[in-house]
Amino acid sequence: MESDDRFSWKYGGWAGQVLWVDLARGKLVTKPLDEELALTYLGGTGFAARWLFDMVGPEVEPFSPENVFILATGVLTGTLFPQASRHVVAAKSPLTDIYGEAHAAGHFGPELKFAGFDAIVVTGRSEKPVYIYVEDGKAELRDASHLWGKTTYEAEDMIKEELGDRQVKVAVIGQAGENLVRFAGVFNDHGRAAARSGIGAVMGYKRLKAIAARGYGGLKIAKPDEYYDFMLELGRKMLAHPFTPDRVKYGTNSLVELMQAIGRLPTYNHREGVFDEWEEICGERITREYLVKPKADFACYQRCGRFVRIPAGKYVMIGKGPEYEGLDALGANVGNSDLEALIYANHLCNLYGMDVISAGGVIAWAMECWEHGLLTKEDTGGLEFDWGDPELIVQLIEMIAFRKGFGDLLAEGVYRAAQKIGRGTEKYAMHVKKMEIAAQDGRAQKSMGLAHVTSNRGADHLYAFPVLDEVGFEKEIAERFGEQYLPEMTDRLNPKYKGIMVAELEDFCAVVEAVGVCKYGTVIPPVFFYPDLARALTLTTGKEYTEADLRLIGRRIVTLQRLFNVREGITRKDDTLPERFTKEPMPRGPAKGQVVELDIMLDEYYSYRKWDLETGIPKKETLRELGLEREVEELERRGITIPP
Ligand code: SF4
């Protein structure tokens, strides 16, 4: 490894170094973290946005050596801020062909910081499988030929064994990533998943099986005494919140009951919003019958991770259990109420390393197409489909991961699969910008409908994560957005002010993912907000941050990601939902008769952001406010008109 040698970084929080890896030449170089980048983008999603915009233009194919793989921690990752456990992986997405990014909690991000690195940037493609090992400021490439073909769990264990240290932390791909399944993810800590956007397939293309990290160093804290007192105060606040005991007991799985109650539990490929057999797949049953223990990530007070076991029968397993998204994707949305098959299919997604939301989405599409006679045995290689067939679901997960038979088509994601088959199957492909829609139905909660559309990584509930109107957090909505928006903003079925809510929450979530803390505790339950993050940053880094600074940084990150997509040809015409949500009224349940009033909300969203109403492109005036003048030149040089 070439190194600029360890140097002293003047701020706390950041490790102060970035590892640059060229896989084609087998070269690793450590460089100081750029100070301006750190102060203006913070880390995580901020670094990813900056580097991808600068390094990956429209001429770069997702599956090409020129695509760049980024793994970045946040400035607070590894500190004592509650739930400061996160890292981001990013690349141009092979699923959506636009800005791609995914996030995971666990212990990997903090360990990378303790090993002396804020981020790793990987270019080129290796001739043979390799993995990167970083330890205390040093880095090396190691052969991974013996790990190729192994599951995420197996490869993680083998790396720990060969390094002789169980405390090594590993981010790894499974067979799905190796086989270029377009929705393969990057997994760590046995089942923590940075699953969306297919970043695992980019690692697979590069023949990068894993990154392992071990660090014995700490993090510099600028004002340790005040920092420590403040972190204790935040921890006490988190523990005292009424949501915390439930989160420990049920994880996110209690959402099945809540979503059923408000008619927002996607069922039968998003056709309906209630599932008659929801009690078979609910969180209470998982806790009662299968939970071994709740699992915490680094610095976590909420322990939403589920460690579960099926001791006997057809689906014996032990490992990370499903979360709410998995329960819907492989349960209600494919009509499946066989909980053991569901847990097992979810477990296979973790082992093979693929996104459970997209996997469930392509299976749901195939089931509905079969029901309408649009798919036949000739298409499926002899398979017959029926809603909720547990054995078929498990079989299809295997077939997708290994691209066997009909699984090869499904591994392309629902957009490409429907395009290839044609014959009207496109109508049943539930995606936004080629990304499968998660377990949220915008007809039952209008803000979610908009959030899926405006997210810069394609359909995504987490990009803005608008949950405050789910069951009416009136006090928090008044505090966070202003009383002038009440009561409409609190009403989940009213489209009014949802454009403002989604824009504000996108900015806030960008800050949350840039500093490296979990959305549980910041977004839901809504405990910590900008002032807490600003104070934590000031005490940690030694650089004064205000709420206004952070709001600007959030806007800048979201806007830069939008500009990446605008450069790829994305405009308002792409900010849309399948007609199911805008034209088919919800057939039954509490949201019966509702559709998503998308245009009204989009107009409000663009106006609030000061983007052009017709094209959805940020205006020059807006970009100037955010310090993004250089990007205007770059887009205009490529013939894109930026409205004044
Ligand atoms: S709340 Fe859940 S996802 Fe967030 S840090 Fe804790 S265990 Fe991890």
Side-chain angles (χ1 to χ4, degrees):
M1 180 188 79
E2 282 177 24
S3 171
D4 292 345
D5 218 346
R6 300 306 291 267
F7 52 89
S8 78
W9 176 253
K10 68 181 185 195
Y11 300 102
W14 293 284
Q17 297 193 123
V18 176
L19 178 67
W20 296 80
V21 181
D22 178 351
L23 287 175
R25 294 191 297 148
K27 228 169 143 41
L28 294 81
V29 180
T30 300
K31 292 186 182 174
L33 175 63
D34 181 85
E35 184 175 331
E36 195 193 331
L37 172 78
L39 297 182
T40 51
Y41 287 92
L42 298 178
T45 187
F47 288 180
R50 188 68 268 169
W51 283 325
L52 282 185
F53 188 89
D54 291 344
M55 298 171 72
V56 182
E59 60 286 348
V60 174
E61 290 293 323
F63 287 142
S64 73
E66 289 72 34
N67 198 4
V68 178
F69 167 80
I70 294 160
L71 191 152
T73 61
V75 53
L76 294 180
T77 303
T79 67
L80 293 176
F81 195 99
Q83 291 88 237
S85 61
R86 311 280 290 182
H87 66 271
V88 165
V89 294
K92 185 185 273 191
S93 163
L95 182 68
T96 63
D97 301 301
I98 55 172
Y99 183 86
E101 178 179 291
H103 323 107
H107 298 264
F108 180 83
E111 195 72 26
L112 186 65
K113 291 276 284 284
F114 303 150
F117 295 96
D118 293 296
I120 299 177
V121 183
V122 182
T123 57
R125 185 188 201 199
S126 174
E127 276 178 16
K128 58 172 192 168
V130 290
Y131 75 93
I132 298 167
Y133 179 50
V134 299
E135 183 186 324
D136 275 345
K138 297 194 174 62
E140 62 179 305
L141 275 181
R142 296 176 70 113
D143 179 43
S145 307
H146 58 302
L147 304 172
W148 209 248
K150 302 294 180 194
T151 67
T152 59
Y153 279 38
E154 287 166 343
E156 183 178 331
D157 290 344
M158 287 168 73
I159 288 172
K160 287 178 177 181
E161 191 152 319
E162 74 183 37
L163 293 170
D165 187 350
R166 295 295 303 166
Q167 295 307 316
V168 166
K169 304 294 184 289
V170 184
V172 62
I173 59 168
Q175 295 94 328
E178 296 171 9
N179 295 326
L180 309 187
V181 173
R182 287 185 189 269
F183 44 86
V186 184
F187 287 64
N188 57 287
D189 298 287
H190 276 199
R192 274 288 171 221
R196 306 230 74 192
S197 307
I199 311 300
V202 175
M203 276 180 76
Y205 175 83
K206 290 181 177 296
R207 302 196 181 98
L208 177 61
K209 178 72 179 177
I211 300 172
R214 182 69 168 116
Y216 300 91
L219 292 176
K220 186 164 122 185
I221 301 295
K223 298 179 183 171
D225 291 342
E226 286 170 78
Y227 159 90
Y228 194 63
D229 287 346
F230 187 51
M231 293 302 145
L232 279 179
E233 183 189 322
L234 296 179
R236 277 195 287 269
K237 219 165 147 186
M238 191 73 251
L239 277 178
H241 195 277
F243 265 44
T244 298
D246 242 35
R247 188 73 85 202
V248 176
K249 198 165 176 193
Y250 301 114
T252 58
N253 293 336
S254 53
L255 289 174
V256 171
E257 183 175 357
L258 178 64
M259 295 306 127
Q260 174 78 7
I262 65 171
R264 211 203 73 185
L265 183 69
T267 300
Y268 303 125
N269 197 29
H270 293 266
R271 194 159 60 198
E272 302 177 13
V274 287
F275 185 44
D276 292 337
E277 292 156 279
W278 69 273
E279 281 168 295
E280 296 297 317
I281 61 165
C282 70
E284 200 272 323
R285 186 173 169 212
I286 292 188
T287 298
R288 193 177 64 236
E289 295 181 31
Y290 301 102
L291 184 70
V292 178
K293 61 173 184 178
K295 260 188 105 178
D297 293 319
F298 184 88
C300 179
Y301 290 78
Q302 297 185 84
R303 290 183 279 155
C304 82
R306 309 286 89 188
F307 188 65
V308 301
R309 176 168 173 251
I310 301 176
K314 253 196 288 189
Y315 301 117
V316 172
M317 63 75 69
I318 184 159
K320 169 89 169 32
E323 299 180 17
Y324 165 69
E325 287 294 336
L327 289 177
D328 185 74
L330 298 171
N333 207 34
V334 289
N336 174 30
S337 59
D338 182 328
L339 184 55
E340 293 200 353
L342 194 171
I343 293 173
Y344 189 71
N346 183 83
H347 181 55
L348 289 184
C349 286
N350 287 343
L351 291 182
Y352 299 142
M354 59 189 186
D355 178 17
V356 69
I357 298 172
S358 291
V362 289
I363 294 171
W365 165 79
M367 285 179 170
E368 187 165 15
C369 290
W370 181 274
E371 183 186 64
H372 293 294
L374 299 172
L375 281 179
T376 65
K377 279 195 198 178
E378 273 176 33
D379 300 306
T380 65
L383 289 177
E384 291 188 37
F385 280 69
D386 197 6
W387 288 112
D389 179 342
E391 288 184 14
L392 176 68
I393 293 164
V394 170
Q395 186 185 352
L396 285 170
I397 298 292
E398 296 253 8
M399 291 172 68
I400 293 169
F402 294 92
R403 283 187 171 273
K404 280 190 213 151
F406 186 56
D408 189 38
L409 180 79
L410 299 184
E412 290 292 289
V414 76
Y415 167 80
R416 285 178 171 81
Q419 290 293 314
K420 190 148 186 206
I421 295 282
R423 304 194 298 258
T425 59
E426 301 93 328
K427 181 177 169 193
Y428 303 107
M430 297 299 130
H431 71 94
V432 176
K433 302 186 182 86
K434 307 179 191 170
M435 175 99 97
E436 292 75 14
I437 296 178
Q440 335 287 331
D441 192 314
R443 291 173 294 186
Q445 187 188 346
K446 304 301 165 76
S447 60
M448 271 296 179
L450 178 65
H452 277 299
V453 161
T454 55
S455 152
N456 277 320
R457 62 174 185 172
D460 183 15
H461 61 299
L462 290 172
Y463 194 82
F465 211 18
V467 280
L468 294 182
D469 57 337
E470 225 167 55
V471 284
F473 283 86
E474 192 168 299
K475 181 173 146 281
E476 286 82 357
I477 285 178
E479 280 167 9
R480 293 191 170 197
F481 305 100
E483 292 200 349
Q484 69 273 28
Y485 299 125
L486 298 179
E488 293 91 338
M489 196 183 263
T490 318
D491 180 355
R492 66 178 171 272
L493 296 179
N494 189 337
K496 196 166 180 190
Y497 299 140
K498 298 307 186 291
I500 296 167
M501 178 188 235
V502 167
E504 284 287 342
L505 282 170
E506 284 178 342
D507 295 349
F508 181 56
C509 285
V511 172
V512 166
E513 295 292 1
V515 301
V517 304
C518 188
K519 284 177 181 146
Y520 295 128
T522 46
V523 182
I524 189 80
V527 183
F528 311 123
F529 199 42
Y530 283 118
D532 304 294
L533 292 173
R535 181 154 167 74
L537 281 174
T538 302
L539 298 178
T540 303
T541 64
K543 154 97 171 64
E544 182 82 26
Y545 279 97
T546 63
E547 175 170 349
D549 294 332
L550 295 189
R551 285 180 180 276
L552 189 74
I553 289 172
R555 265 178 78 204
R556 184 185 297 128
I557 293 169
V558 171
T559 308
L560 186 58
Q561 290 168 352
R562 177 69 173 187
L563 290 184
F564 181 100
N565 288 344
V566 167
R567 192 172 60 181
E568 296 290 331
I570 295 289
T571 63
R572 180 170 183 151
K573 70 177 183 335
D574 305 289
D575 293 343
T576 189
L577 283 165
E579 288 192 352
R580 167 150 291 167
F581 300 96
T582 53
K583 297 207 169 139
E584 278 180 35
M586 183 70 93
R588 66 193 188 106
K592 185 171 179 200
Q594 295 287 331
V595 293
V596 181
E597 299 93 336
L598 189 56
D599 279 331
I600 299 171
M601 292 192 288
L602 261 183
D603 282 351
E604 189 180 65
Y605 173 90
Y606 293 140
S607 304
Y608 191 72
R609 281 212 174 281
K610 293 194 253 173
W611 293 2
D612 183 57
L613 272 182
E614 199 181 319
T615 61
I617 295 177
K619 294 179 182 172
K620 269 187 193 159
E621 167 205 359
T622 312
L623 297 174
R624 259 196 308 273
E625 282 170 22
L626 297 171
L628 296 173
E629 293 93 342
R630 185 162 60 82
E631 289 69 15
V632 173
E633 286 169 30
E634 152 74 358
L635 266 66
E636 288 185 335
R637 191 173 60 76
R638 291 177 180 271
I640 297 165
T641 306
I642 309 288

